[in-house]
Amino acid sequence: MKVILITMLCLGVTFDALSTNDSIPAVNFYLGVGGGRISQGEIFGLNATLLKQGSWGLQLKCQSNLTLSKQLPLDYTCSIYYGSKQCGREDILTVTSLKFIRQFLTSSKRLRFGLEVGPSLVSNKIAQFKSGSFYYTSSDGVAQHQIYYNTSYIENNAIGLDLSAKVELPLLTFFGVELGMTSNINKFKSFLGYELIFNFGLVRNRSKKVK
């Protein structure tokens, strides 16, 4: 984590210095973290964005959604103490996408709009539960029967199409906020929802000083 933060800061400072040179295009690079809600529940995401301000760019994004498994036993108990090797109650949907961005600036450049589209790799892990049991004697000398469960996953992969539209507020040179609609079309769990993302890096170019 420390390496990522240091790298992000160094890149941000480098791009910030370059952006003040009129001979070099206004290039933005930043990392985003946030979450939101889709039709299957809550979603969490991380992304890295590189784009020419007010023009085209690329974004690498990873999103994850955990949904309580429909196969979860009513008497589900999972504990290493009882003998479980792996615990988990949720199915896991992970979407990794590489998207093309088209950004539109307003006159003030403090409010931006963006459209994103690109292919994605979708991983859908379905939880499977296998029960086990053992007998033990309690402190009062009574024999007890304990049931526990081990969780395993069946993973399926597919190619999807990721589509997004967003409004960006580059509040500071190194910090911004964006609110957007997110969607993905795939054969497992297509979804539509919204997300709030906090961006860190060279979010906007430094204002030029008037000589």
Side-chain angles (χ1 to χ4, degrees):
M1 179 59 73
K2 291 183 179 179
V3 174
I4 294 175
L5 292 176
I6 294 173
T7 302
M8 180 185 69
L9 180 60
C10 292
L11 287 172
V13 172
T14 301
F15 280 120
D16 195 23
L18 291 175
S19 66
T20 60
N21 189 331
D22 292 339
S23 64
I24 299 176
V27 176
N28 298 141
F29 172 79
Y30 48 89
L31 303 180
V33 57
R37 190 165 187 84
I38 59 175
S39 47
Q40 285 81 9
E42 297 180 350
I43 193 168
F44 174 78
L46 298 170
N47 66 70
T49 303
L50 176 66
L51 59 81
K52 180 180 178 182
Q53 186 170 279
S55 185
W56 296 90
L58 288 173
Q59 182 182 85
L60 179 63
K61 188 170 188 176
C62 183
Q63 296 171 294
S64 183
N65 164 251
L66 303 180
T67 305
L68 192 66
S69 175
K70 295 180 180 179
Q71 302 181 49
L72 183 68
L74 295 176
D75 60 345
Y76 177 82
T77 301
C78 188
S79 172
I80 303 300
Y81 174 78
Y82 292 147
S84 301
K85 296 180 180 180
Q86 182 176 0
C87 298
R89 300 168 178 263
E90 299 86 6
D91 296 334
I92 305 172
L93 178 69
T94 304
V95 177
T96 304
S97 58
L98 179 62
K99 297 187 288 185
F100 296 95
I101 304 173
R102 181 64 173 99
Q103 187 184 78
F104 304 91
L105 298 178
T106 59
S107 57
S108 67
K109 296 185 180 181
R110 297 301 177 89
L111 178 64
R112 308 189 299 216
F113 300 90
L115 298 175
E116 304 171 355
V117 60
S120 62
L121 176 62
V122 181
S123 171
N124 189 38
K125 294 182 178 180
I126 305 298
Q128 304 291 308
F129 305 96
K130 184 177 180 180
S131 63
S133 64
F134 67 92
Y135 290 90
Y136 68 96
T137 303
S138 63
S139 58
D140 56 2
V142 178
Q144 302 286 341
H145 180 223
Q146 177 66 52
I147 297 176
Y148 63 89
Y149 287 88
N150 283 315
T151 305
S152 60
Y153 291 92
I154 296 177
E155 182 176 1
N156 297 297
N157 298 304
I159 300 299
L161 178 65
D162 206 90
L163 301 166
S164 301
K166 62 184 181 182
V167 177
E168 298 180 70
L169 294 172
L171 302 176
L172 302 171
T173 304
F174 290 99
F175 174 74
V177 178
E178 64 181 60
L179 178 64
M181 300 294 294
T182 180
S183 65
N184 189 276
I185 302 172
N186 62 79
K187 69 177 185 179
F188 298 131
K189 291 182 179 179
S190 296
F191 61 79
L192 173 66
Y194 66 88
E195 58 183 353
L196 177 67
I197 303 295
F198 298 96
N199 294 320
F200 303 89
L202 183 58
V203 178
R204 65 177 173 84
N205 297 93
R206 182 185 301 163
S207 300
K208 296 179 180 179
K209 296 181 180 180
V210 179
K211 298 181 180 180

